[in-house]
Amino acid sequence: MRTEWLQSFIETAKKKSLSKASEALHMTQPALSKQMKKLENDLGATLFIRSASGVELTKAGEILFRESEDILSKVHAVERSIRASEEQRNITIGTWQSMAAFYLPYKLALANDEKSHIDIKIGHHYKDLLTQLDHNEIDAALFDDRAIQHSHWSKGLLKEPFYLFVNEQHPLAGKKSVSFSEFQQEKIVVLPSGCDVRTLVEKEYEHHGINLRISSEIEFAQSIIGFISANLGISILPEIFTKDIGRSNIKALPIEDFHLQRETSLITKNPDIGKKLYKLFFSPGV
Protein backbone atom coordinates (compact mmCIF):
# COMPACT_ATOMS: atom_id res chain seq x y z
CA MET A 1 0.00 0.00 0.00
CA ARG A 2 1.66 3.19 -1.17
CA THR A 3 1.40 6.38 0.88
CA GLU A 4 0.29 8.37 -2.19
CA TRP A 5 -2.65 5.97 -2.60
CA LEU A 6 -3.56 6.49 1.05
CA GLN A 7 -3.35 10.28 0.72
CA SER A 8 -5.59 10.12 -2.35
CA PHE A 9 -8.03 7.87 -0.48
CA ILE A 10 -8.27 10.34 2.43
CA GLU A 11 -8.97 13.24 0.07
CA THR A 12 -11.60 11.25 -1.83
CA ALA A 13 -13.30 10.16 1.41
CA LYS A 14 -13.40 13.74 2.65
CA LYS A 15 -14.66 15.21 -0.62
CA LYS A 16 -17.08 12.28 -1.30
CA SER A 17 -16.33 12.88 -4.95
CA LEU A 18 -13.64 11.59 -7.30
CA SER A 19 -13.83 14.71 -9.45
CA LYS A 20 -13.47 17.14 -6.52
CA ALA A 21 -10.71 15.04 -4.97
CA SER A 22 -8.80 14.86 -8.26
CA GLU A 23 -8.93 18.66 -8.52
CA ALA A 24 -7.62 19.05 -4.97
CA LEU A 25 -4.85 16.53 -5.67
CA HIS A 26 -3.98 18.16 -9.02
CA MET A 27 -4.42 14.94 -10.96
CA THR A 28 -6.87 13.62 -13.53
CA GLN A 29 -9.96 11.75 -12.42
CA PRO A 30 -8.98 8.58 -14.38
CA ALA A 31 -5.58 8.59 -12.64
CA LEU A 32 -7.26 8.92 -9.24
CA SER A 33 -9.73 6.13 -10.06
CA LYS A 34 -6.81 3.93 -11.06
CA GLN A 35 -5.08 4.62 -7.73
CA MET A 36 -8.22 3.78 -5.76
CA LYS A 37 -8.66 0.54 -7.71
CA LYS A 38 -5.05 -0.45 -6.97
CA LEU A 39 -5.58 0.33 -3.29
CA GLU A 40 -8.73 -1.81 -3.19
CA ASN A 41 -6.93 -4.66 -4.95
CA ASP A 42 -4.00 -4.35 -2.55
CA LEU A 43 -6.29 -4.54 0.49
CA GLY A 44 -8.66 -7.08 -1.03
CA ALA A 45 -11.70 -4.98 -0.14
CA THR A 46 -14.09 -2.51 -1.73
CA LEU A 47 -13.61 0.89 -0.16
CA PHE A 48 -16.19 3.02 -1.98
CA ILE A 49 -19.73 2.68 -3.24
CA ARG A 50 -19.80 4.70 -6.45
CA SER A 51 -22.87 6.46 -7.79
CA ALA A 52 -23.79 9.34 -10.08
CA SER A 53 -23.82 11.72 -7.09
CA GLY A 54 -20.37 10.75 -5.81
CA VAL A 55 -18.86 8.10 -3.56
CA GLU A 56 -19.68 6.75 -0.10
CA LEU A 57 -17.43 4.69 2.16
CA THR A 58 -18.11 1.00 2.69
CA LYS A 59 -17.54 -0.53 6.13
CA ALA A 60 -14.01 -1.45 5.03
CA GLY A 61 -13.55 2.12 3.80
CA GLU A 62 -14.71 3.52 7.14
CA ILE A 63 -12.17 1.37 8.99
CA LEU A 64 -9.36 2.53 6.72
CA PHE A 65 -10.44 6.17 6.98
CA ARG A 66 -10.42 6.04 10.80
CA GLU A 67 -6.87 4.72 10.81
CA SER A 68 -5.41 6.30 7.69
CA GLU A 69 -4.30 9.66 9.08
CA ASP A 70 -2.60 7.95 12.02
CA ILE A 71 -0.91 5.56 9.58
CA LEU A 72 0.40 8.46 7.50
CA SER A 73 1.56 10.29 10.61
CA LYS A 74 3.56 7.24 11.70
CA VAL A 75 5.01 6.81 8.20
CA HIS A 76 6.08 10.47 8.16
CA ALA A 77 7.61 10.06 11.63
CA VAL A 78 9.62 7.08 10.35
CA GLU A 79 10.73 9.09 7.33
CA ARG A 80 11.89 11.90 9.63
CA SER A 81 13.79 9.40 11.78
CA ILE A 82 15.54 8.05 8.72
CA ARG A 83 16.40 11.52 7.47
CA ALA A 84 17.74 12.40 10.92
CA SER A 85 20.02 9.37 10.83
CA GLU A 86 21.55 10.31 7.48
CA GLU A 87 25.00 11.82 7.24
CA GLN A 88 23.55 15.33 6.86
CA ARG A 89 20.89 15.83 9.53
CA ASN A 90 18.48 18.76 9.37
CA ILE A 91 17.03 19.25 12.84
CA THR A 92 14.60 21.91 14.04
CA ILE A 93 14.27 22.60 17.76
CA GLY A 94 11.54 24.76 19.24
CA THR A 95 12.03 26.52 22.57
CA TRP A 96 11.79 29.76 24.53
CA GLN A 97 13.85 32.79 23.57
CA SER A 98 16.03 32.51 26.68
CA MET A 99 17.00 28.91 25.91
CA ALA A 100 17.74 29.87 22.30
CA ALA A 101 19.96 32.73 23.43
CA PHE A 102 21.83 31.38 26.45
CA TYR A 103 21.68 27.57 26.40
CA LEU A 104 21.33 26.02 22.97
CA PRO A 105 24.17 27.86 21.17
CA TYR A 106 26.73 26.72 23.75
CA LYS A 107 25.50 23.14 23.71
CA LEU A 108 25.61 23.04 19.91
CA ALA A 109 29.10 24.55 19.86
CA LEU A 110 30.45 22.08 22.44
CA ALA A 111 28.99 19.14 20.53
CA ASN A 112 31.10 20.04 17.49
CA ASP A 113 28.81 17.94 15.29
CA GLU A 114 29.50 19.07 11.72
CA LYS A 115 27.03 16.56 10.27
CA SER A 116 23.95 18.29 11.68
CA HIS A 117 22.29 21.49 10.58
CA ILE A 118 20.25 22.93 13.45
CA ASP A 119 17.38 25.38 13.06
CA ILE A 120 15.76 27.00 16.10
CA LYS A 121 12.16 28.20 16.28
CA ILE A 122 11.06 30.49 19.11
CA GLY A 123 7.83 29.68 20.95
CA HIS A 124 5.79 31.90 23.25
CA HIS A 125 3.37 29.28 24.63
CA TYR A 126 3.88 25.60 25.38
CA LYS A 127 0.75 24.80 23.34
CA ASP A 128 2.42 26.31 20.26
CA LEU A 129 5.46 24.08 20.74
CA LEU A 130 3.32 20.95 21.22
CA THR A 131 1.27 21.80 18.12
CA GLN A 132 4.44 22.22 16.08
CA LEU A 133 5.63 18.83 17.33
CA ASP A 134 2.30 17.20 16.45
CA HIS A 135 2.41 18.70 12.95
CA ASN A 136 6.07 17.68 12.44
CA GLU A 137 7.09 21.33 12.05
CA ILE A 138 9.82 20.81 14.64
CA ASP A 139 11.76 17.68 15.62
CA ALA A 140 12.03 18.50 19.31
CA ALA A 141 11.15 21.12 21.90
CA LEU A 142 12.78 22.40 25.09
CA PHE A 143 10.57 23.53 27.99
CA ASP A 144 9.41 22.49 31.45
CA ASP A 145 6.71 19.90 30.77
CA ARG A 146 6.12 18.52 34.27
CA ALA A 147 2.62 19.99 34.63
CA ILE A 148 1.59 19.39 31.01
CA GLN A 149 -0.30 16.36 29.73
CA HIS A 150 1.27 14.93 26.57
CA SER A 151 2.26 11.52 25.21
CA HIS A 152 5.68 12.41 23.79
CA TRP A 153 9.12 11.13 24.79
CA SER A 154 10.72 13.44 27.37
CA LYS A 155 14.16 13.66 28.96
CA GLY A 156 15.24 16.13 31.67
CA LEU A 157 18.13 18.44 30.76
CA LEU A 158 18.53 21.39 33.09
CA LYS A 159 17.43 22.48 36.58
CA GLU A 160 17.52 26.16 37.53
CA PRO A 161 16.75 28.11 40.70
CA PHE A 162 14.89 31.41 40.52
CA TYR A 163 16.30 34.84 41.35
CA LEU A 164 14.83 38.24 42.11
CA PHE A 165 16.13 40.70 39.49
CA VAL A 166 16.26 44.32 40.66
CA ASN A 167 17.88 47.55 39.59
CA GLU A 168 21.01 48.52 41.59
CA GLN A 169 19.05 51.49 43.00
CA HIS A 170 16.38 49.22 44.50
CA PRO A 171 16.40 49.07 48.33
CA LEU A 172 17.08 45.32 48.23
CA ALA A 173 20.00 45.55 45.76
CA GLY A 174 22.65 45.51 48.48
CA LYS A 175 21.49 42.22 50.00
CA LYS A 176 23.12 38.85 49.26
CA SER A 177 19.73 37.08 49.23
CA VAL A 178 16.08 37.85 49.89
CA SER A 179 12.92 36.18 51.15
CA PHE A 180 9.36 36.54 49.91
CA SER A 181 8.37 38.68 52.86
CA GLU A 182 10.78 41.39 51.71
CA PHE A 183 9.12 41.99 48.34
CA GLN A 184 5.67 40.37 48.58
CA GLN A 185 3.86 43.72 48.37
CA GLU A 186 5.71 44.85 45.26
CA LYS A 187 4.34 44.51 41.76
CA ILE A 188 6.51 42.49 39.37
CA VAL A 189 7.04 42.33 35.64
CA VAL A 190 6.01 38.91 34.30
CA LEU A 191 6.04 36.80 31.15
CA PRO A 192 2.72 35.84 29.50
CA SER A 193 0.57 32.93 30.66
CA GLY A 194 1.53 29.65 29.00
CA CYS A 195 5.24 30.16 29.61
CA ASP A 196 6.77 27.73 32.12
CA VAL A 197 8.44 30.58 34.04
CA ARG A 198 5.10 32.35 34.59
CA THR A 199 3.45 29.10 35.68
CA LEU A 200 6.14 28.33 38.26
CA VAL A 201 6.14 31.89 39.66
CA GLU A 202 2.35 31.73 40.07
CA LYS A 203 2.62 28.36 41.86
CA GLU A 204 5.24 29.69 44.25
CA TYR A 205 3.14 32.73 45.15
CA GLU A 206 0.19 30.40 45.73
CA HIS A 207 2.38 28.19 47.93
CA HIS A 208 3.22 31.20 50.11
CA GLY A 209 -0.41 32.35 50.20
CA ILE A 210 0.55 35.64 48.56
CA ASN A 211 -1.35 37.33 45.74
CA LEU A 212 0.81 37.89 42.67
CA ARG A 213 0.74 41.60 41.89
CA ILE A 214 1.63 42.34 38.25
CA SER A 215 2.96 45.66 37.02
CA SER A 216 3.48 44.64 33.38
CA GLU A 217 3.19 41.51 31.22
CA ILE A 218 5.91 41.35 28.58
CA GLU A 219 6.30 38.72 25.86
CA PHE A 220 10.10 38.63 25.78
CA ALA A 221 12.18 38.08 28.89
CA GLN A 222 15.05 40.09 27.41
CA SER A 223 12.66 43.05 27.33
CA ILE A 224 11.97 42.48 31.02
CA ILE A 225 15.72 42.81 31.60
CA GLY A 226 15.53 46.16 29.80
CA PHE A 227 12.69 47.31 32.06
CA ILE A 228 14.69 46.45 35.16
CA SER A 229 17.80 48.16 33.78
CA ALA A 230 15.71 51.33 33.32
CA ASN A 231 14.48 50.94 36.93
CA LEU A 232 10.90 50.39 35.77
CA GLY A 233 10.23 47.28 37.82
CA ILE A 234 11.50 44.04 39.33
CA SER A 235 11.02 40.45 38.21
CA ILE A 236 11.49 36.79 39.17
CA LEU A 237 13.36 34.82 36.52
CA PRO A 238 15.35 31.57 36.35
CA GLU A 239 19.12 31.47 36.67
CA ILE A 240 19.76 31.45 32.93
CA PHE A 241 18.96 35.19 32.81
CA THR A 242 21.92 36.00 35.01
CA LYS A 243 23.94 35.50 31.81
CA ASP A 244 22.09 38.48 30.29
CA ILE A 245 23.00 41.09 32.89
CA GLY A 246 26.82 40.98 32.76
CA ARG A 247 28.20 44.23 34.13
CA SER A 248 24.87 46.03 33.89
CA ASN A 249 23.08 47.90 36.66
CA ILE A 250 20.96 44.85 37.53
CA LYS A 251 21.36 42.63 40.58
CA ALA A 252 20.17 39.01 40.67
CA LEU A 253 19.40 37.94 44.23
CA PRO A 254 18.82 34.33 45.35
CA ILE A 255 15.36 33.88 46.89
CA GLU A 256 15.84 31.86 50.09
CA ASP A 257 12.29 30.49 50.27
CA PHE A 258 11.54 29.93 46.58
CA HIS A 259 11.03 26.16 46.60
CA LEU A 260 10.46 25.45 42.91
CA GLN A 261 13.02 25.14 40.13
CA ARG A 262 12.56 25.26 36.40
CA GLU A 263 13.32 21.81 34.99
CA THR A 264 13.74 22.04 31.23
CA SER A 265 13.23 18.83 29.26
CA LEU A 266 13.92 17.65 25.74
CA ILE A 267 10.57 16.61 24.23
CA THR A 268 10.00 14.82 20.93
CA LYS A 269 7.43 12.58 19.24
CA ASN A 270 10.04 10.06 18.21
CA PRO A 271 12.11 8.42 20.97
CA ASP A 272 14.86 7.53 18.48
CA ILE A 273 15.29 11.19 17.51
CA GLY A 274 15.14 12.21 21.17
CA LYS A 275 17.86 9.77 22.20
CA LYS A 276 20.03 10.80 19.25
CA LEU A 277 19.65 14.52 20.05
CA TYR A 278 20.38 13.93 23.72
CA LYS A 279 23.52 11.96 22.92
CA LEU A 280 24.75 14.53 20.39
CA PHE A 281 24.04 17.76 22.26
CA PHE A 282 22.74 17.36 25.79
CA SER A 283 24.44 14.42 27.50
CA PRO A 284 26.56 15.30 30.59
CA GLY A 285 29.76 15.12 28.54
CA VAL A 286 28.60 17.86 26.16
Side-chain angles (χ1 to χ4, degrees), residues 31-183:
L32 176 59
S33 296
K34 189 174 181 179
Q35 278 192 356
M36 293 303 93
K37 190 63 179 175
K38 287 181 177 180
L39 180 59
E40 289 178 324
N41 290 338
D42 197 43
L43 293 173
T46 300
L47 301 175
F48 294 108
I49 299 172
R50 296 161 175 81
S51 67
S53 60
V55 294
E56 293 289 339
L57 290 172
T58 63
K59 287 186 178 180
E62 289 174 357
I63 293 171
L64 180 61
F65 185 65
R66 283 197 303 269
E67 303 293 335
S68 55
E69 291 190 332
D70 187 45
I71 291 170
L72 278 180
S73 177
K74 289 178 179 177
V75 169
H76 291 155
V78 170
E79 290 173 345
R80 289 177 71 84
S81 295
I82 292 172
R83 286 198 298 269
S85 68
E86 292 300 306
E87 183 176 354
Q88 177 64 37
R89 292 178 291 270
N90 295 308
I91 301 167
T92 302
I93 299 174
T95 190
W96 310 127
Q97 186 186 29
S98 59
M99 299 300 291
F102 304 119
Y103 180 72
L104 270 177
Y106 301 99
K107 282 293 183 179
L108 300 181
L110 286 173
N112 194 27
D113 179 55
E114 297 178 357
K115 296 180 180 179
S116 297
H117 174 76
I118 307 295
D119 291 319
I120 300 173
K121 293 185 72 171
I122 303 300
H124 305 295
H125 196 292
Y126 74 85
K127 289 182 179 178
D128 296 334
L129 295 172
L130 287 176
T131 297
Q132 290 171 13
L133 272 179
D134 290 335
H135 292 170
N136 296 318
E137 295 172 9
I138 58 177
D139 298 288
L142 301 185
F143 62 93
D144 191 333
D145 65 336
R146 287 173 295 168
I148 298 167
Q149 293 291 327
H150 67 80
S151 59
H152 303 317
W153 182 91
S154 179
K155 175 78 172 178
L157 300 180
L158 175 69
K159 292 184 179 182
E160 300 173 83
F162 280 78
Y163 288 74
L164 181 70
F165 286 70
V166 300
N167 186 279
E168 64 183 1
Q169 297 179 22
H170 191 278
L172 294 175
K175 297 180 70 67
K176 292 184 178 180
S177 63
V178 293
S179 64
F180 259 97
S181 61
E182 294 178 273
F183 61 87

